[in-house]
Amino acid sequence: MQLAWRALLEDIALQDSEFGVDRTLEPEAHLLAMIFELLDAFLSERETAR
């Protein structure tokens, strides 16, 4: 994953934290869950657009 995309996802998922700061497992798990939710939403919209 390109760094720019990860930074955007971190900004969306972890709005109250600073970029690049080491996180505990809980915020990291939230970030990963958000990544998969956004990916699922993207794939669903792409499929219905066809």
Side-chain angles (χ1 to χ4, degrees):
M1 177 183 299
Q2 292 180 335
L3 183 57
W5 284 108
R6 180 160 178 98
L8 289 172
L9 291 170
E10 283 186 22
D11 190 45
I12 292 168
L14 307 172
Q15 295 175 2
D16 59 344
S17 63
E18 296 179 37
F19 176 74
V21 174
D22 289 336
R23 290 182 296 278
T24 61
L25 291 178
E26 185 176 320
E28 190 71 17
H30 177 71
L31 177 61
L32 289 173
M34 179 66 71
I35 289 170
F36 284 109
E37 286 177 27
L38 291 170
L39 180 59
D40 187 44
F42 168 77
L43 293 174
S44 293
E45 288 184 28
R46 187 179 77 169
E47 188 65 30
T48 58
R50 291 182 182 194

